[in-house]
Amino acid sequence: MTAFAGRLSEAARKLVLTPINRLLNRLDAPVLVLVYHRVATLASDPEMLAVTPANFRAQMKYLKDNFPLVRFEADWAGTPKPAIAVTFDDGYADNLLEALPIVEELAVPATFFVTTGNIGTGQEFWWHELQRLILGTHKLPPHFDLGTGSWGTVTEVKRRVMYDGLVRLMNDATPRQRNEWLSRVRGWAEMETAPNDRHRSMTLEELRILAGSRLVTIGAHTVSHTRLAALSSSGQKEEIMTSKQQLETWIGREIRVFSYPFGRRSDYTKESMTLCREAGFIKAAANFPGQAHSWTEPFQIPRHLVRDWPVELFAEKIRGFWTR
Ligand SMILES: [Zn+2]
């Protein structure tokens, strides 16, 4: 169903997908997988990845009161459905500091897919560094030229256009290319600022505490958070295998599930799916809307991205998700 869902307009989606999905849901009740990234109150969140602790708690309470909640890695054939699975991507420290207490209070099972490269480093993901360098009101040279694109910086809007343009380019780049571009932006901006502690990933100790919760499953999410589709076969294998092995060494447990960085269909390839299977994973999570039925390919489980919605809007979105 979701194979062409991404290319449909909203009107066509309602006309075509909703009735089809309703029928399919009657044939085989699905699991709906939600994807979160952060539970935090941020002054600025250009990627809209953070849900405030208050909204997250209300959302989890709503789920707990209304649906069976299942683990992402479980064999869903034997679970009561329709059901919902909660997942997190990236490995931010707030997953432990803000999300875990709520998850434990309400007894919600959750799977955390962790990008290993930043664990214990105090570093931000590259998009946070770009935000720090470009967005805001500090003084910047009026113009930036990267060869593949050039941008002005004299207004807030222009800075945002530059940020979005660089994010698009860097999303498609190998880690090496991205680091080269980042160092050019750094040199150009001439700013001496430290990584923002609010955006750091977990320390190793924090990851171990998170993994120690009986409600928590840890999954892998590559080393450098690079689009697998941008990498060679050996580059993909390295990202997939190394993140699995690092996590297994760190927490002393087999890592059986994976999620693709960015996760749209264009962000990974058939080969990525094969490599994940060969690495010993049992399922992999994508990031496009859809339901998981018994016939869904286990190496691209659809997920619905959750925003910072108040609980009334969240409930309305969840109702809509079953037919998307
Ligand atoms: Zn991610």
Side-chain angles (χ1 to χ4, degrees), residues 70-76 85 110-111 216-217 256-257 282-283:
V70 296
R71 288 177 180 267
F72 179 80
E73 72 280 11
D75 177 2
W76 294 332
T111 298
V216 167
T217 305
R256 300 193 304 151
V257 287
I282 56 166
K283 284 183 191 179

Side-chain angles (χ1 to χ4, degrees), residues 35-37 49 88-92 113-115 125 127 221-222 225 259-263 287 303:
V35 54
Y36 291 85
H37 293 80
L49 293 181
F88 276 80
D89 277 4
D90 294 350
Y92 284 97
F113 295 102
V114 174
T115 299
F125 286 103
W127 50 89
H221 192 48
T222 74
H225 206 286
S259 82
Y260 302 107
F262 308 106
N287 189 3
R303 291 188 294 173

Side-chain angles (χ1 to χ4, degrees), residues 145-203:
D145 197 334
L146 193 64
T148 46
S150 64
W151 298 272
T153 63
V154 291
T155 64
E156 209 175 304
V157 173
K158 285 191 170 171
R159 287 187 186 207
R160 178 68 206 224
V161 169
M162 174 177 173
Y163 168 78
D164 289 340
L166 284 172
V167 165
R168 264 198 303 280
L169 281 175
M170 290 188 187
N171 275 348
D172 284 340
T174 60
R176 198 176 154 167
Q177 173 72 80
R178 190 168 62 227
N179 287 335
E180 190 199 312
W181 284 338
L182 263 175
S183 75
R184 282 174 62 182
V185 179
R186 247 177 248 138
W188 163 84
E190 287 186 330
M191 267 179 73
E192 288 290 328
T193 56
N196 185 340
D197 193 57
R198 293 286 288 151
H199 301 320
R200 71 177 173 86
S201 297
M202 283 177 278
T203 64

Side-chain angles (χ1 to χ4, degrees), residues 72-311:
F72 179 80
E73 72 280 11
D75 177 2
W76 294 332
T79 56
K81 291 187 288 183
I84 292 189
V86 172
T87 69
F88 276 80
D89 277 4
D90 294 350
Y92 284 97
D94 57 57
N95 291 186
L96 171 81
L97 304 173
E98 302 282 0
L100 183 66
I102 295 167
V103 155
E104 295 220 299
E105 178 203 338
L106 299 171
V108 174
T111 298
F112 294 79
F113 295 102
V114 174
T115 299
T116 57
N118 279 358
I119 294 294
T121 66
Q123 292 300 311
E124 307 159 313
F125 286 103
W126 55 266
W127 50 89
H128 292 302
E129 183 174 3
L130 271 188
Q131 289 162 15
R132 190 153 46 80
L133 291 170
I134 298 167
L135 303 178
T137 53
H138 55 281
K139 199 162 166 44
L140 282 173
H143 195 259
F144 178 70
D145 197 334
L146 193 64
T148 46
S150 64
W151 298 272
T153 63
V154 291
T155 64
E156 209 175 304
V157 173
K158 285 191 170 171
R159 287 187 186 207
R160 178 68 206 224
V161 169
M162 174 177 173
Y163 168 78
D164 289 340
L166 284 172
V167 165
R168 264 198 303 280
L169 281 175
M170 290 188 187
N171 275 348
D172 284 340
T174 60
R176 198 176 154 167
Q177 173 72 80
R178 190 168 62 227
N179 287 335
E180 190 199 312
W181 284 338
L182 263 175
S183 75
R184 282 174 62 182
V185 179
R186 247 177 248 138
W188 163 84
E190 287 186 330
M191 267 179 73
E192 288 290 328
T193 56
N196 185 340
D197 193 57
R198 293 286 288 151
H199 301 320
R200 71 177 173 86
S201 297
M202 283 177 278
T203 64
L204 198 45
E205 187 55 31
E206 287 169 336
L207 173 64
R208 287 190 178 125
I209 295 170
L210 180 70
S213 166
R214 64 183 176 83
L215 292 160
V216 167
T217 305
I218 302 294
H221 192 48
T222 74
V223 177
S224 69
H225 206 286
T226 298
R227 281 179 74 223
L228 291 176
L231 298 176
S232 66
S233 174
S234 62
Q236 290 199 43
K237 191 170 177 182
E238 170 79 19
E239 288 277 350
I240 293 167
M241 288 304 297
T242 305
S243 62
K244 183 176 194 291
Q245 286 159 359
Q246 284 179 315
L247 288 166
E248 288 177 346
T249 305
W250 291 340
I251 68 171
R253 202 182 298 162
E254 192 190 353
I255 303 296
R256 300 193 304 151
V257 287
F258 182 86
S259 82
Y260 302 107
F262 308 106
R264 294 155 305 178
R265 286 176 187 279
S266 55
D267 295 323
Y268 57 93
T269 63
K270 276 220 152 53
E271 191 175 18
S272 321
M273 293 161 64
T274 305
L275 288 167
C276 281
R277 198 184 299 265
E278 287 172 1
F281 291 113
I282 56 166
K283 284 183 191 179
N287 189 3
F288 50 76
Q291 301 82 1
H293 290 284
S294 56
W295 54 81
T296 299
E297 158 59 58
F299 285 85
Q300 46 180 350
I301 306 275
R303 291 188 294 173
H304 289 273
L305 183 60
V306 179
R307 300 293 190 192
D308 187 26
W309 297 315
V311 71

